Every structure is written in C-alpha cells, then in structure tokens.
Amino acid sequence: MSSSVNLQPISSSIRVFPLRLSPNMDVLSSIRNFINENSLQSVFIMTCVGSVKACRLRMANSIDVINLKTPHEIVSLVGTFDSEAQHIHGSFSDQTGRVIGGHVMADNPMIVYTTVEIVLAECENVIFSREMDNESGYPELIHLTMTSTENAPTPNNDPGSFSSFRSTNNHDTPNQNYSFDSTPPIHSSHHQRLIHSQNSQSLEASPSIVRNPSPPPIDNLSRADMVGDEMYSKSWFCQVLLKLIKFVAPQQIHKEAFSTIRQQGDDFLSTHSNKIQELDETFESELCELWDVSMSADVAHLLIQFNSLDLFNVVLIECKDKRCTEIVLGILSNMACCKRNLIQDEQSVSVALCIVQHTNLFSTILSILTSDDYSDCPTLVQLFRLIYTLTVRQDTRSLILERIQLTYEPLCFIFQSCINKELLEQCSCLLRVLLDECNLFEHNEQSEVFYLFLTSITTATSALIENETVTENNTLENLFNCLQIYTTNEHFIDMLNEHCQTIMKLTENILNRLVHDDIVQIRSVLLLSCISICNYFLFKHGLTIVNKELLQYFIIIGHTCYKDKQRREHQKHVMRRERSRTHSHSSNKRKDGDEFDTNGDTVDDDSLSKSHHAITNADWDDDIEVQSTTKVEFDRSTSEDLATTSYTLVDELFLELFYRGIKQDASKSTDNNPSLFKQLSQDQRETFRKIIKHFCHLDKRLDNMLEL
C-alpha cells in the first residue's frame, strides 16, 4: 500500500522561550503548564540540558518499557507539543556513561534531579494536528500533521519559507526509494526562522515518511521479558548463554554425542587438547556485563531457572580459555551472595545451596585446584572467593566443611610461593574463617595439616613484611589473627614452641613499623593480635622472649593506652556534666513557663508555628540521615569494642611483665644476668611505674583482693 506526503510551503516565524526547572519538578507537566499559561499552540524543544532521577521509556519497535530510577544526565531531548498531546524522544546516560534512549512515556512523571534548562520554541501561524495510528492501536503512537493558519505561500527559494507536510503512511518501514535531494539549508535571522526549501520537481513525487514505527504485537514481546529492575531482558541472557554454549561445544559434534562427552570430560580434553579457544572482545564484554548484573537476586534466580549451573559445569570442565573460566567463577561467586531465596519443589532454598547441592558443579570447582591448566591467579582469586562465600554462609557451611579438605594443600602452596596480593588476601580470609568461625580445630584431628598451615603462615608473613607496607595490609591482619587463634588451643603448644623464635621475630618487625613515639593506632586489629601473641609467649617462656627493643615498644603502647583511657574518662565526665546542666536548665524553663501562663498571658501563634516548623524540619532531617547515623553508631560501637580489647590486653601484658620482673629481681643473687628493666632509661622506668600504678590500678586490685 502506497502513500504520499503533500508539501505546501508556508511562512512561519519562531518565538523562543527559555525555561528553568528546579529539583523534584516534573518536566513534562511543567512544559504543559507553561504552554497553557501562555496560550501557545505549536511548540517544540530546541535544546535541553540537565539531569533527571525518574523517567519511563518505551524501546524502539517494541512495547518494552524501562523505568529509570537513578540519576541520569540528559544527553538529548526532542519532541513536539500542541494543546492536547506531545511526542517526545530522549537519551539519558548513567554514572558509568552508558546511554539509553527511547520514546518518553507521558503516563509517568520525568522528575528533575538537580536542574533542567529547556529552550522551547513556538512556530507562529502553524498548527500541529495529530492522528491516532488505527493499525497498531497504541495510544502513544501518533502521526504528525502541520498545516498553516495563513494561505500566503512564499517562493520556494525564499529564505523565510517553511515546508509543511502531512504523513498518511500506514507502513512501519519507510520506502527504500526515499532520499533527500540536498541537505535543508539553515538560515539564522532576527526572527530566528527555520528554512526548508524544496524544488518544484520534488513536490510531484513525494517520498513516504513514517515518524514512529508501530510496535510488534503483544503476543510476540511482553513487558514480562524484562528481568526485575535491570536494563536487560530475558532474551539477552538467553543469547549470551547460547553464545557460551557455542563457544565451549565443538561445532562438529552432534547434540546426541555432546551429552556423552560431558560424562567423559577427561577423555574429551585429552582428545581436543590442541583446540585453541579465545574470547573475542565483543563476547568477553557481554560475559563481563553478565558478571556485573549477576549480583542481582532477579538475575541469579533467572540463571537458576535457565539451568545455567549445568552449563557452567561444562565450561569449567571443557573450556581452555582462562579468562572465560575466571568470568564463570566470578558469576558463581556473585550468585552465591544472593540473599533472597527461590522456590524449588515447593521449598525455599538459597542460590548458594543450589550451587553446593548441584550434582557435579562443586566437585568440578574443587578439581580446578589440582589441575595444572588452571594456575592463573585471577581465576584462583574468583575460585577462593566463591569458596569463602559458601563457607561464611550458615546454610552451606556444613556441606562445605565436608569437602574442604581438598583446599588445604593448595592453600599452603599459595602461602609459600605466591606473591599476588589479591590471591593472598582471599586465601588468608578463607583460612581465618576456617580457623575462627568454623572451628576447624574441632572438626579435624590431623596435626600434620595444622603444622603445615602454621609453617605456611610464617613463611607468607615473613615475605609480606619484607615486601609490603604493614599499616594497611589486610593479609597481614588475617595471618596474625590466625597465629593468635593458634595460641588459644592447648593442643598446639609444641608446634608454637618450635616456631617461637620465628613468630616473635615477626611480631617485633610488625611492632617496629606500627609503634612510634608520636602515633600508635591502639585500635588496630593487627596490633591487638601482636599483643595477644606476646602475652601467650610471655606467659609460657617468661622474659626470655623479651629484649630491650621489644620492651620499649610495650612501654610506648602502654603509655598510649593510658593516655587514651584518661581522655575517654574525661569525655564521659564532661558529657555527664553537660547532661546535668541541660536537665537543670530545662527544669528552670518549665517553671518559668508555668509562672508565665499563670499570669494570664498567651503564647504567640507565630512562636508556636516556628517551633512546630523547627520540630518538623528536625524530624525530616532525622529521617534523611537515619542511615548515615546508624553507620556512625556502628563504627563508634566497633571502635569502643576495640579500645576495650586493647585496654584488657595491655593490662594483662604489663601485669605479666611486672610479675616476671619481680621474679627476676628476686633471683638476681643467683643469676649473673643483668635485669632487663635496668637497661631502660630513667624516663622509661618512670613511665612503666605510672602504667602499673594508674593504668593497671595495682593498689586498687590489692585492696580488693584483701577486702580492705
């Protein structure tokens, strides 16, 4: 079916109206109100800049709708308005620079985020008349007709001419023979006119034009295809997973034979060991996008519904590309973090439990540790991240501990030979959780394993101290925490005694970098672990493990704790005094108010209004800042706990030093060794006495013990 466009030159000038919108205003409603208030007829958007935080877009050639719920910058916004309707298209970019565009839906507000500046223009003597597309029946799909309110034609070559047209085409696809003879000239004059001149020959054979193609039928594409609030559809996920299948599966093998190959993965690998697999840049980018969005619970549930665990198992067995293996393990790690359960066989189960209970998947994951083909550090980082995530979860911990033994030897090998920071940190996190939260000592009686762990920890710690900074090293914190956990178990006394000199040397090196005369971070987890280890060895071996340098570090730490405790007690005293003053002041104000009301005077309405306004604003501010306040309170509570722990450990350390010093002084007549404390300077000995007397409260403890 053919159609034509009737072009008639008309004369039209343009009036320009700047418009600035404030935050939380609706863009479309504001433009509509501006048009109605100024009795404008035919308006279009010349330019627009700003940002919005809410908008609804319909995608091209579909009925899919995407709701933008986060701040987006306006890349472009174009469209036309008349007295009854509008037709708007827009493009928006998020914080990562990703741009999305489509038809701006009028049934949902477009809310301003910071500010929006719009330049509107009205075509004088021109009316935009619209028609509903009867073929598609979609309410937002309209054709545009522009007719002049004047019958004064202008010559085709007149710079003031403006070509109007009427589209009656009912097809979604423009005519392939359609082409412009030349680019429409642009003329800028005092009246800011838009010129579009056509020659007389083009008027006789007009091209067919469609302003907006009709969407496909609802039966073929539904809004349900979108996955949660993500900007991806189920079709996109299917396409990526199908590409992954084609990438892994050999093209020359039939579908029936492929199931057999999956059961005999080792034979297949040996047969096709010469096959070269490399991800192309486009496919790798799509897999990385899948990796990013797999943190979403909706995406994780969708991947479970697509039986993607079977596919991931095949990829881990058969894929030779290390980057592909890393991405798949990263996707599994993100899926394991999903907190929302899904329903399977009328039971609520977590995504992590589905991964662990899969027939072969977790066994395949553990087998990677023993494979020579997967010695790639990024791959191992994601693998140990997955194991760590499954271990810290309560619903999967027991199942992981049944098969975690396969990771012991690879863990020790990594600690002894690896220098990759990310991999060492991930492995140290896993080992700390196994020793601390999982009580690995109680679940395993193989002393050889723990001896190997202890040796590996000291080796890795020694290498890190030589090559890395100490103050901001999470790996060192985890490793020293593991050493401190060893000191809490009596079954490993012999192991610790064998490594005593090595561990104390490492501890002294750490204290040498953490302890300074001016600044000591007494709430550092690494420092607290070192003090706890020193307490253990001091109790077991006495002053033989303490040298002059180590004792000086102890005195600096003790003096810092003493000053910090004094400061905290002073702050508490000041706060109690302020509360007392505030309470007394409030009581006096209430008494004055009662006396004022008794005299018959009334309270001013303006004062009440201001007071109510202030209270309302205070409540509003509290609601806005409740999340940040909760975080501050949590950080403050954590800091208080660390401070209390540091006081307790330092108190135990100095009491043990005092006790060992007394014993050493009592035996000086029999031993020729000089007293360790006499090697200190006069100021250091004064500081030690102050710590014992005021920080450890020796007099008060003696009175309590003797009930005096």
Side-chain angles (χ1 to χ4, degrees):
M1 179 178 179
S2 61
S3 60
S4 62
V5 179
N6 298 322
L7 300 177
Q8 295 179 356
I10 60 174
S11 175
S12 175
S13 62
I14 296 176
R15 294 192 300 167
V16 180
F17 304 90
L19 189 62
R20 183 184 180 89
L21 305 181
S22 303
N24 299 321
M25 294 181 66
D26 183 6
V27 176
L28 300 182
S29 298
S30 300
I31 296 177
R32 176 59 58 190
N33 294 335
F34 181 83
I35 292 175
N36 295 335
E37 291 172 1
N38 294 274
S39 301
L40 305 181
Q41 292 182 342
S42 304
V43 177
F44 65 91
I45 300 175
M46 293 188 68
T47 185
C48 177
V49 293
S51 59
V52 296
K53 62 182 179 181
C55 182
R56 178 176 294 176
L57 300 176
R58 176 173 63 81
M59 298 297 97
N61 198 32
S62 73
I63 61 170
D64 282 351
V65 175
I66 291 180
N67 293 314
L68 304 182
K69 300 180 181 179
T70 57
H72 282 68
E73 289 287 342
I74 299 176
V75 178
S76 68
L77 193 69
V78 295
T80 57
F81 293 79
D82 58 21
S83 59
E84 298 179 356
Q86 64 269 343
H87 188 176
I88 311 296
H89 285 191
S91 300
F92 309 85
S93 65
D94 59 14
Q95 60 181 0
T96 64
R98 182 179 298 175
V99 178
I100 183 172
H103 181 92
V104 179
M105 303 291 288
D107 58 353
N108 198 65
M110 181 192 295
I111 305 300
V112 179
Y113 178 54
T114 55
T115 183
V116 170
E117 298 176 356
I118 307 175
V119 178
L120 301 177
E122 183 194 34
C123 300
E124 294 183 340
N125 304 327
V126 175
I127 296 177
F128 296 161
S129 61
R130 306 173 184 272
E131 298 175 341
M132 181 71 67
D133 191 343
N134 297 324
E135 182 178 352
S136 65
Y138 195 76
E140 289 293 333
L141 185 64
I142 50 181
H143 291 287
L144 179 63
T145 302
M146 292 174 17
T147 58
S148 173
T149 56
E150 294 183 355
N151 295 321
T154 59
N156 290 336
N157 296 328
D158 184 2
S161 64
F162 185 93
S163 300
S164 64
F165 60 88
R166 173 185 176 88
S167 173
T168 58
N169 182 32
N170 294 323
H171 291 284
D172 290 341
T173 306
N175 193 330
Q176 296 180 356
N177 296 326
Y178 175 77
S179 62
F180 287 105
D181 294 336
S182 62
T183 303
I186 300 296
H187 176 73
S188 177
S189 64
H190 177 70
H191 300 285
Q192 297 188 15
R193 296 177 178 176
L194 180 67
I195 307 109
H196 183 191
S197 61
Q198 295 283 349
N199 54 42
S200 57
Q201 295 179 356
S202 62
L203 297 177
E204 298 177 358
S206 302
S208 60
I209 302 176
V210 174
R211 296 300 302 268
N212 195 8
S214 301
I218 298 180
D219 296 338
N220 295 338
L221 189 59
S222 173
R223 289 179 59 183
D225 189 56
M226 306 307 296
V227 180
D229 295 332
E230 300 295 332
M231 296 171 55
Y232 299 90
S233 64
K234 294 180 182 178
S235 304
W236 182 84
F237 287 101
C238 288
Q239 292 174 2
V240 175
L241 294 177
L242 286 174
K243 288 182 180 179
L244 185 58
I245 293 175
K246 294 179 180 179
F247 177 75
V248 176
Q251 297 181 356
Q252 68 272 19
I253 298 180
H254 296 288
K255 185 176 181 180
E256 296 80 10
F258 184 64
S259 60
T260 306
I261 293 175
R262 288 177 55 183
Q263 299 175 3
Q264 302 174 354
D266 295 337
D267 297 338
F268 173 77
L269 285 175
S270 60
T271 304
H272 296 80
S273 58
N274 296 325
K275 181 184 176 182
I276 300 176
Q277 290 178 311
E278 287 186 5
L279 289 175
D280 60 79
E281 185 176 352
T282 302
F283 184 40
E284 180 181 352
S285 176
E286 292 177 340
L287 285 179
C288 289
E289 290 182 17
L290 177 59
W291 187 358
D292 292 337
V293 299
S294 59
M295 282 293 295
S296 168
D298 296 315
V299 175
H301 291 183
L302 180 69
L303 293 176
I304 295 294
Q305 295 173 6
F306 283 172
N307 295 324
S308 59
L309 297 184
D310 293 334
L311 172 60
F312 294 156
N313 183 44
V314 176
V315 172
L316 296 178
I317 292 175
E318 301 177 355
C319 184
K320 288 288 188 179
D321 186 83
K322 295 180 180 180
R323 177 60 173 165
C324 182
T325 304
E326 176 196 356
I327 294 175
V328 168
L329 289 173
I331 294 172
L332 289 171
S333 300
N334 286 354
M335 293 173 62
C337 297
C338 178
K339 297 181 179 180
R340 192 203 309 168
N341 291 356
L342 51 85
I343 304 300
Q344 280 191 346
D345 299 330
E346 300 181 356
Q347 293 184 352
S348 177
V349 295
S350 66
V351 176
L353 193 60
C354 294
I355 295 175
V356 177
Q357 292 180 340
H358 188 271
T359 307
N360 299 316
L361 179 57
F362 194 69
S363 299
T364 303
I365 293 171
L366 293 178
S367 65
I368 294 177
L369 293 173
T370 59
S371 174
D372 296 334
D373 295 333
Y374 294 99
S375 57
D376 184 52
C377 283
T379 301
L380 294 177
V381 168
Q382 298 305 321
L383 187 147
F384 279 106
R385 173 173 170 252
L386 173 59
I387 297 176
Y388 170 81
T389 304
L390 297 175
T391 304
V392 297
R393 293 183 62 103
Q394 296 293 335
D395 55 344
T396 57
R397 176 175 297 176
S398 59
L399 298 175
I400 292 298
L401 292 179
E402 294 176 359
R403 293 182 278 182
I404 199 67
Q405 292 83 1
L406 294 175
T407 65
Y408 293 164
E409 186 175 350
L411 270 175
C412 295
F413 177 78
I414 290 172
F415 284 135
Q416 294 179 5
S417 61
C418 182
I419 59 174
N420 184 277
K421 298 178 182 179
E422 290 187 62
L423 182 55
L424 285 174
E425 182 176 353
Q426 201 64 58
C427 292
S428 64
C429 288
L430 176 60
L431 183 59
R432 178 185 56 80
V433 170
L434 290 175
L435 297 180
D436 187 10
E437 301 180 17
C438 300
N439 298 321
L440 189 62
F441 293 142
E442 299 179 2
H443 292 84
N444 198 319
E445 299 180 354
Q446 299 178 2
S447 58
E448 300 85 3
V449 174
F450 300 117
Y451 184 87
L452 185 60
F453 275 149
L454 184 58
T455 305
S456 303
I457 291 172
T458 55
T459 303
T461 304
S462 178
L464 286 172
I465 292 176
E466 293 178 1
N467 301 323
E468 299 294 335
T469 57
V470 173
T471 54
E472 299 179 357
N473 196 303
N474 295 328
T475 305
L476 279 176
E477 285 188 3
N478 294 327
L479 293 178
F480 266 87
N481 196 357
C482 292
L483 290 175
Q484 186 267 334
I485 295 172
Y486 265 87
T487 62
T488 61
N489 196 300
E490 297 181 356
H491 296 89
F492 306 112
I493 296 177
D494 295 336
M495 294 184 191
L496 292 172
N497 290 338
E498 183 178 344
H499 292 79
C500 176
Q501 296 297 327
T502 303
I503 295 175
M504 288 305 302
K505 186 64 177 178
L506 295 174
T507 304
E508 183 179 349
N509 290 334
I510 293 292
L511 294 179
N512 181 36
R513 304 192 188 189
L514 292 180
V515 177
H516 306 279
D517 293 335
D518 51 351
I519 298 176
V520 178
Q521 298 293 337
I522 61 173
R523 292 169 178 80
S524 168
V525 177
L526 179 58
L527 179 62
L528 297 182
S529 297
C530 291
I531 297 174
S532 178
I533 293 172
C534 291
N535 283 342
Y536 172 81
F537 285 110
L538 183 62
F539 178 78
K540 294 294 183 181
H541 301 278
L543 293 178
T544 57
I545 58 106
V546 182
N547 54 30
K548 180 181 177 181
E549 290 76 14
L550 199 57
L551 183 58
Q552 290 175 349
Y553 297 149
F554 291 159
I555 292 176
I556 296 175
I557 295 172
H559 187 258
T560 304
C561 287
Y562 170 60
K563 291 295 185 182
D564 186 78
K565 191 174 183 180
Q566 277 188 326
R567 181 183 57 81
R568 290 182 62 197
E569 291 177 351
H570 177 71
Q571 289 178 348
K572 291 180 180 179
H573 176 71
V574 171
M575 292 177 63
R576 285 194 298 266
R577 189 167 57 185
E578 290 293 333
R579 291 196 194 99
S580 178
R581 290 179 178 176
T582 304
H583 178 72
S584 176
H585 182 66
S586 300
S587 300
N588 293 334
K589 288 187 66 177
R590 283 196 296 269
K591 291 180 181 179
D592 295 341
D594 293 340
E595 294 176 359
F596 182 77
D597 293 339
T598 304
N599 294 332
D601 296 334
T602 58
V603 182
D604 189 7
D605 292 339
D606 294 339
S607 300
L608 285 176
S609 177
K610 292 178 180 179
S611 175
H612 175 72
H613 182 67
I615 294 174
T616 304
N617 287 341
D619 295 339
W620 175 255
D621 293 339
D622 289 342
D623 292 338
I624 293 177
E625 299 179 358
V626 62
Q627 186 174 1
S628 60
T629 304
T630 304
K631 184 180 184 301
V632 170
E633 292 294 334
F634 175 78
D635 294 340
R636 185 180 303 167
S637 175
T638 303
S639 178
E640 293 290 331
D641 293 340
L642 290 175
T644 304
T645 304
S646 65
Y647 300 157
T648 304
L649 291 174
V650 172
D651 180 75
E652 294 177 359
L653 175 65
F654 275 86
L655 287 178
E656 189 66 29
L657 287 172
F658 179 65
Y659 167 71
R660 296 289 180 174
I662 293 176
K663 288 188 65 176
Q664 187 185 58
D665 186 67
S667 61
K668 66 180 180 180
S669 58
T670 58
D671 298 336
N672 296 325
N673 296 329
S675 173
L676 180 64
F677 295 94
K678 291 182 179 180
Q679 301 178 24
L680 300 175
S681 65
Q682 183 66 26
D683 292 339
Q684 290 173 338
R685 280 179 279 177
E686 289 288 343
T687 303
F688 185 87
R689 183 175 64 177
K690 185 188 298 184
I691 295 171
I692 292 296
K693 185 176 180 179
H694 299 290
F695 181 77
C696 299
H697 301 291
L698 195 61
D699 295 339
K700 184 178 180 180
R701 290 184 174 183
L702 184 61
D703 293 341
N704 292 336
M705 183 182 70
L706 300 176
E707 297 183 356
L708 296 177

